[in-house]
Every structure is written in structure tokens, then in C-alpha cells.
Amino acid sequence: MRLAALLLAAFLAGCGARSASGPDLDVILAEAPAETLSAYGLFADIAAANPASGVVPYELATPLFSDHAEKHRLVFVPGGKSAAYLKDDVFAFPVGTVLVKTFAFAPDMRTPEAGAYRVETRLLIHKETGWAAYPYLWNEAGTEATYSPVGGRRTIETISPAGDPLTIRYAIPNQNQCKTCHQAGSALSPIGPKARNLNHEGQLEDWAARGILTGLPAGLAPAPAMYDVSLPVEVRARAWLDINCAHCHKPDGSASNSGLWLSATETDPVKLGIGKHPVAAGRGAGALMQVVVPGKPDDSILAFRMASVEPGVAMPELGRTVPDPDGLALVRSWIAEMDAP
Amino acid sequence: MKLTRAAFALPLAIILAACGQEAVTPAPDAAGLPAPLSAEGDFGATLQAALISAKPGDTILMPEGTFSLIDPLSLDVDGVTLRGASQGGTVLDFAQQAGAGEGLLVTSDDVTLQDFTVRDTKGDGIKSKGADRITYKYLTVEWSGEPDETNGAYGIYPVESTDVLVEHVTVRGASDAGIYVGQSKNIIVRNSVVEYNVAGIEIENSTGADVYGNIARNNTGGILVFDLPALPVSGGNSTRIYSNQIVANNTRNFAPPGNIVAGVPSGTGVIIMANRNVHVFENTFDNNRSAHVLITAYSEPFTDPAYNPLPRDIVVRDNTYSGGGDDPQGTLAPLAAALGGQLPPIVWDGVATWTGATEPQAVNLTIAEAPEVGFLNLGVPAYPLDPAAIAPSPDRPVGTPPAEPAAIVLAHVKD
């Protein structure tokens, strides 16, 4: 019976009918991306968004803001392999790992599950040659997503979590723009899956128990979440800056030449923007003199650019067309409570 | 009438060409070029798809025409040539741009960009980052209309790169620098026209640059060689600025205030700030109303312990000067007012130390010009500036000229 099942699976694999048999490493590790998202076998039922066996949903303590999109994350680590824990960096995932991020909207983002529809799914795949990023766009029916390296725009009508009507010219990044955010030196790297984003609600213990993570130390401090009001404002604001900015604003990121480095582990006040003059900001600086002026959010370029929706001024450059009201309020509070030097 | 006009136009064209006033695109050699991309449909999507699917060695040929683009372009494949029909014949118009910081971003090596125009981007025009052995040629990057604070910062913007060639380009209207090369090494900027920018050409935090045969006119400042603190790459040195026409850079400073070039006095020809081993020679300076050559220390507070804010090992020789200095602007205005309202062609702030310096530093300035070429040492003891403490002097310092850097040889350019 068991042999028959194996034979059947092998037969189905030969036919390319993947959905019933789980992730297909041949497709995952192929040189070129598959035309359709379903071909990877990451979903047991792609229309219903049910992940296949071995494909694990996860969440970040503080997510990147993307125009209020609801994001659904999945990780697949090939059977028998595991990611190695790293303290500050993205875990060392093995070849064959797939990180899946689906961006969804609903008519009213106060109830994001009601009438939700998927817009795009981005795959980060750890190939033999390093990470590759592939964007997929969903069809209207929500039954399949197709490889779309060029990206594009889609108008989204919704109501924000705060209850404001929003029309969003949502930008679906092209494949090169994936690299803008995911750059680490000359290679691509995931952004989210590191301990300071994942270690909440027992998630890392769950990964360890599933065997997809090794080397997890005991007694790890929980990841700071921007919404955790029990934490100091500075910790929450730095958590927001880390996930929203530091993928570019780091020594080997796309904004390296700015000398403005915003990771949660940065300790040099000037590198964090305190008293720092803009370098290549141009009109992005507004009429302001410094990135962060302690005590004065209105005089700080950081808050000015976070609040802007103008191309050439707005930061982050990619991934949002409306401001993140919560992140902006938090960063403004952080600057406001800073003592003047 | 027709004959007269032609007879008049032809010699003018020859004169202009001889001066390098306008870069004239050579006709593309039809052999070896692929068919141009289709101009039908969404050209931005067509072009971006081609940029993504290109293979090393490919040439992507854009058709003639003006194309309105909503989203920015990017190239991340090594060894690709992106080419238009001609410098003015293929125009990528970003007036309706809705996202990102620049019109075109290149992040791969061995790329050539030629024969097209990028217009009215919301941020920078064309940026290349970590893109070694890049060539920009026969390109125009411009912002239409009057110089405006809301124009993008840089027109042509290579950064963090080795072996950079910029030639036969025209840049107009940048609210920071027309051609800006930052945190790079081994650079040639030549035979280009920069006008109505805040800075015409700026070489910043870079090592080894030859800037020659350019026309820098009607900018706020013509050609700048700077080094700034608190950046991943600093210690800029070894730049030669020669055989350029640096004329009437008297446009008002329209840079947004926080940026370093917002401090550039309108009417400066060349500014050397905090850089080392810079040679300015055989240029033609005319009618720059503040000063033709300004040599200055970085004047803001800084904490970077590795940073030296002084200009060091500077040579100014054998240039031709006429007019100018008659209406000094910006920070130079009050200083000039105290000195009768005029400035000579060459002005040095005189700063030779800074807060935190452990010993006096050798600026080592060599002014090897005819005796009648005026020079002024403003005699600023240190920054921050205290106008009451300055001690101006017309005496030229006696420096030991440093060896001139060898001509830049680029790994990817044979000539």
C-alpha cells in the first residue's frame, strides 16, 4: 500500500501535477522561475491559500509597512535540512528554502479577512547560486498567480485600519526592485527572518520543534514589537526603523552611500542621523538641515520623508504610496523625547 | 535667403563642434545592432522587461520617440548596452513619474548607456551604484523650465564604483549637481556640457579623477571637488581639472537648504573643499561673479575622527582668467564687502586647523599664475567663522607642488 502511494506520487510528479504532493524541489531549484505559482507545490489548495504539508506560516513581530497590505508569510525548508540560528543576521537557510509572502487587500482593512483578495505573491528562493526573487501576480478569480518580472500598478480602493477611505496606486515591484530592498553586498538576502523579528509567541521554539531551525539558544529575549506599548518608545521606534529602513540603510545595502544606517543594532548617533547633514537627498531634505534633530520631529528630515508621498521625497522609496501613520507617530515620538545634545 | 542662412549656419556649426558646445551623436553603425524595441503599447513595461531579460553582451536599442514613463527603470545585468536612436531622438520623459528615487538605476558592471535623453525625473536622473566600468556617453539629462528647487538632485550619478567614464553628455537643471561622482575611484568626466545646475560637476569623496574638456556655464558653481565626513568612503584625493571652460556660473543657488551645495556662493568657478592633491590648470575662467577658484576647509562641526577638513596639496596654475569677482554672493558677500566689494580670481579661506586637530596641518597651496592674477587669503583662523577675527592678505602661500597624478586610465576604455 505504502509502495503504491510512493509510486503514485512519483507518477504524479512525472505528470507535473504538484498540488497534491507538496513542494517540488526540481521546480524550486530550476534555473528559471516557474510560470505559475502553483507549479512549486507550495499550496495544497492554492485558491484557498492552504499551504502544503511542510510549508509553515510565520509572522514578524514588527512587519514592514506596505500600503496597509495584509501579508501572509510561509517558509519551506526542504525535508532533512534546517536553518542555522544567527544572533543578529537572517538565519542561514539551506539551499532549497522558499520564503513566500502574499500581499492581500480587503474592501475594509479594519476587517481584513472579509472579502480579502490577493494581489501578488513574492518568492525568495535559496538556489545553489544564492537567493533569487520572483514576483507573481494573482488573477482576478484568485485561483492562480503568474510570474510577472515587470511589476506594475494596481488601483486599490479600501478603508484604512484607522477608518479612512483610501485610494492606493499600489506598486507591484519589478524583479530588479526586489534587489533594491533585498541587497546584501552584491547578493540578495531575505530581510525579515531573523531572531529579532521572529522570536515572539513561541514561533522560534515551534520552528525548532519542526526541525527547520537548529542552534536556537534557550532564554532568548523576545523580539521587540512596535505595537507593544509596554516597551520604551525608543525600542519600538528602533524596531520600526529596523524592519522598514535598515534593509537599505546598512553598510552593504542600497542606501549604503548615505552613511545613514538604521538597524536596531546601530549605536553611533551620527549614523542614526542625529545631527547628520543630508548627503545625496536633494529635495528629499525639504528645507531641513539634519536627518534627526533631537526634540524636534518637525525639523527632522527622517520624519519629513516618512510623511511624504511624493516620489523623490518619500521614504522608503519602494513599497509604499501612502504614509504609515503608526510608524510615523512612533518615530516622531522618539525624536520628540530625545534630549538635545 | 536660404543660401545666406546655410552659409551662416555651417561655420557656426563647425565652431560649436570645435568648442564641444553641443555633443553631436555619431550615426549608429547599423551593423551589429539589434532591432529596436517596439514603440507600441506600454513602452515602460517593454523596456523594463528587456532590461530584466537581457543577457551579458546584449545591446538594447530603443526606438526614436518621446516616451512617458510612470515607473522608474533599472538594470542589473552585467555587460549590457542601453542605447537610443540619438541623444535627442529617444526621450524618456518622467514628468508623470509615480515612484522611486531616480529615472534609471544601474547596479551591474560593464554597462554602457548612450544616445538618449532622460527628462524631468522626480529624483535623480540616472544613477549607477556599485557599477564598475560604466560608460555614460551622448546622453542628455535635463529638467525643463527654470532652475527649480523641486528638480531632482543629480543628473548623472555614479556612486561606489570603480572605472567611471562620462563623456559627451549634457545636463541641465539639477538642484544639486549635474554630473556627480561620489565615493568612487578612477574617473574620467570629459567633453560634456553642464549648465543651469547648482553644481555643474562634483567629484566627492572619490580618488583619482580627470575632469577635462568640459563646459561648465550658468551653474551656481562650475566644478566642485569635495570631501565630506561621516560617509562610508572618504579621504578623497588626486583629481585634475584641466582644459575646461568655466564661464558665468552665476545662477542663483536653488539647492534645498540642508544639502552641502546649498552653501555654494553663486558665481564660483571651481571649489576645492577638504580634498587632497587637486590640480587646476589650463582652464578658461570668465565672468564668475564671486570668484573663479575658491579653496576652502569644511566648515561644519563633525565627529568623524578619520576626517581631515582641510584642502591639502593644491596646485592652481596656468589658467586664463577674465571678468568676475565683481559681485560676490553668499558667505563671500559680507567678507568681500569688508574688502571693497570685489574678490580676486583665486580665494583661499586660510583655515589651517580645526577643533580636535592635534597639530597644525600643512595645507600646502601652490598658486603658479602670472603675477597679475589676484589672490586673496581671507585669513580665517578656524571655523565657526568669526568675521571679526579674519586677517585677509593678498600674499600667495609658498607651497611645494605635489607631483601631479598620472592621467587616469580606465580598465574599459581604449584611447
Side-chain angles (χ1 to χ4, degrees):
Chain A
M1 187 63 198
R2 199 184 171 98
L3 182 65
L6 269 175
L7 284 172
L8 180 63
F11 176 73
L12 288 174
C15 297
R18 302 307 316 159
S19 57
S21 49
D24 184 338
L25 273 171
D26 289 340
V27 178
I28 289 168
L29 294 175
E31 194 179 331
E35 273 307 302
T36 59
L37 183 60
S38 58
Y40 293 94
L42 295 160
F43 295 90
D45 177 347
I46 194 162
N50 292 335
S53 172
V55 181
V56 180
Y58 71 98
E59 288 185 3
L60 304 184
T62 302
L64 170 78
F65 176 79
S66 306
D67 279 352
H68 300 290
E70 188 80 356
K71 297 188 212 175
H72 305 283
R73 296 176 181 80
L74 304 169
V75 57
F76 166 69
V77 176
K81 294 185 177 180
S82 57
Y85 171 88
L86 294 170
K87 179 171 166 284
D88 290 326
D89 293 325
V90 169
F91 296 154
F93 289 96
V95 168
T97 297
V98 186
L99 299 167
V100 185
K101 184 156 69 166
T102 297
F103 293 68
F105 283 92
D108 186 338
M109 295 309 288
R110 290 172 296 188
T111 51
E113 301 307 322
Y117 55 97
R118 289 167 287 183
V119 175
E120 55 162 332
T121 292
R122 305 178 191 169
L123 300 186
L124 269 178
I125 301 179
H126 197 185
K127 308 260 186 185
E128 297 282 357
T129 51
W131 290 93
Y134 300 131
Y136 287 82
L137 291 196
W138 284 89
N139 61 13
E140 290 284 335
T143 54
E144 181 63 281
T146 308
Y147 175 59
S148 176
V150 182
R153 289 196 178 259
R154 183 156 167 187
T155 300
I156 308 279
E157 302 279 355
T158 187
I159 295 170
S160 80
D164 302 316
L166 276 181
T167 300
I168 297 168
R169 277 184 89 195
Y170 181 80
I172 298 149
N174 69 50
Q175 195 165 315
N176 287 350
Q177 290 171 325
C178 298
K179 183 178 172 183
T180 303
C181 293
H182 285 275
Q183 185 186 359
S186 58
L188 286 183
S189 168
I191 297 168
K194 49 187 175 182
R196 65 168 290 111
N197 300 324
L198 290 173
N199 189 26
H200 64 133
E201 295 169 1
Q203 189 162 249
L204 289 186
E205 288 78 3
D206 175 60
W207 283 29
R210 289 172 183 271
I212 63 174
L213 178 67
T214 54
L216 178 67
L220 204 59
M226 68 172 280
Y227 289 108
D228 183 351
V229 293
S230 71
L231 294 172
V233 165
E234 177 178 9
V235 171
R236 297 166 59 205
R238 292 289 300 271
W240 189 91
L241 292 169
D242 185 272
I243 195 68
N244 283 277
C245 314
H247 45 275
C248 288
H249 283 279
K250 63 178 178 178
D252 58 352
S254 290
S256 58
N257 57 300
S258 67
L260 178 67
W261 295 344
L262 295 172
S263 88
T265 52
E266 182 59 58
T267 55
D268 180 342
V270 176
K271 288 197 174 70
L272 280 169
I274 297 170
K276 184 183 189 309
H277 295 285
V279 179
R283 72 198 189 94
L288 307 176
M289 304 300 286
Q290 294 176 359
V291 180
V292 172
V293 182
K296 297 182 175 174
D298 288 337
D299 293 346
S300 300
I301 295 168
L302 182 67
F304 170 73
R305 302 191 79 164
M306 283 175 62
S308 174
V309 294
E310 256 195 278
V313 177
M315 282 283 164
E317 283 183 351
L318 301 176
R320 75 165 182 87
T321 60
V322 298
D324 176 1
D326 298 339
L328 180 58
L330 191 53
V331 169
R332 286 181 59 90
S333 301
W334 172 56
I335 295 172
E337 72 173 28
M338 267 181 214
D339 292 330
Chain B
M1 185 64 192
K2 201 170 179 181
L3 186 67
T4 317
R5 186 181 235 162
F8 175 76
L10 189 60
L12 182 63
I14 290 167
I15 292 165
L16 289 176
C19 298
Q21 291 262 338
E22 288 296 338
V24 178
T25 308
D29 43 340
L33 281 183
L37 299 177
S38 169
E40 303 301 314
D42 182 349
F43 184 72
T46 303
L47 178 52
Q48 186 57 61
L51 291 167
I52 287 171
S53 61
K55 299 282 180 271
D58 283 359
T59 292
I60 298 169
L61 187 61
M62 297 182 282
E64 187 160 353
T66 297
F67 304 97
S68 178
L69 303 185
I70 303 297
D71 279 300
L73 302 164
S74 54
L75 172 61
D76 189 38
V77 181
D78 291 344
V80 170
T81 295
L82 175 62
R83 184 167 184 167
S86 67
Q87 187 167 354
T90 299
V91 179
L92 306 177
D93 184 335
F94 286 91
Q96 305 303 316
Q97 188 176 356
E102 60 279 309
L104 169 62
L105 174 66
V106 177
T107 48
S108 47
D109 296 334
D110 301 294
V111 166
T112 296
L113 308 172
Q114 67 179 97
D115 303 324
F116 59 92
T117 289
V118 169
R119 183 179 293 160
D120 291 333
T121 53
K122 301 297 185 193
D124 306 309
I126 308 176
K127 178 178 179 180
S128 52
K129 181 169 183 291
D132 297 342
R133 298 175 299 282
I134 191 163
T135 297
Y136 293 85
K137 62 184 179 184
Y138 299 105
L139 300 170
T140 295
V141 179
E142 62 187 358
W143 284 269
S144 25
E146 294 294 306
D148 193 295
E149 281 77 353
T150 62
N151 291 354
Y154 302 137
I156 287 182
Y157 177 14
V159 65
E160 290 184 345
S161 300
T162 299
D163 294 314
V164 173
L165 176 62
V166 179
E167 62 178 2
H168 302 292
V169 306
T170 298
V171 185
R172 296 187 186 96
S175 69
D176 197 307
I179 300 170
Y180 171 95
V181 185
Q183 303 179 52
S184 293
K185 59 185 174 187
N186 236 29
I187 299 143
I188 294 177
V189 178
R190 64 187 178 194
N191 305 329
S192 294
V193 177
V194 284
E195 57 186 8
Y196 300 105
N197 309 288
V198 173
I201 298 169
E202 183 172 354
I203 308 293
E204 190 170 275
N205 292 52
S206 290
T207 296
D210 278 350
V211 179
Y212 63 92
N214 303 289
I215 297 174
R217 63 188 174 203
N218 298 317
N219 305 285
T220 302
I223 301 176
L224 278 45
V225 184
F226 282 10
D227 201 59
L228 299 179
L231 290 181
V233 179
S234 60
N237 67 87
S238 304
T239 287
R240 305 190 307 162
I241 301 170
Y242 63 96
S243 303
N244 301 285
Q245 295 179 50
I246 303 165
V247 178
N249 291 291
N250 298 326
T251 294
R252 74 179 175 92
N253 193 321
F254 60 101
N259 297 277
I260 186 75
V261 296
V264 170
S266 167
T268 37
V270 164
I271 304 178
I272 301 164
M273 184 180 77
N275 212 285
R276 184 173 64 76
N277 201 16
V278 181
H279 297 244
V280 180
F281 57 96
E282 296 167 12
N283 301 286
T284 300
F285 291 94
D286 181 40
N287 189 31
N288 297 296
R289 63 177 164 165
S290 286
H292 292 312
V293 179
L294 177 62
I295 301 161
T296 176
Y298 179 76
S299 62
E300 295 286 323
F302 63 93
T303 55
D304 182 347
Y307 181 68
N308 187 325
L310 304 181
R312 289 100 69 208
D313 298 335
I314 310 298
V315 175
V316 181
R317 65 169 174 87
D318 302 316
N319 299 287
T320 303
Y321 305 90
S322 54
D326 51 334
D327 186 16
Q329 300 289 306
T331 51
L332 294 175
L335 299 170
L339 300 164
Q342 299 245 336
L343 289 174
I346 306 168
V347 176
W348 173 39
D349 66 356
V351 172
T353 189
W354 71 93
T355 309
T358 49
E359 57 191 84
Q361 305 291 310
V363 170
N364 192 26
L365 191 54
T366 300
I367 309 293
E369 301 286 12
E372 66 271 19
V373 175
F375 170 84
L376 181 67
N377 173 357
L378 287 168
V380 176
Y383 289 109
L385 182 64
D386 174 6
I390 70 169
S393 159
D395 297 336
R396 294 181 184 179
V398 180
T400 306
E404 187 179 312
I408 296 296
V409 176
L410 301 177
H412 64 307
V413 178
K414 300 183 268 303
D415 64 351

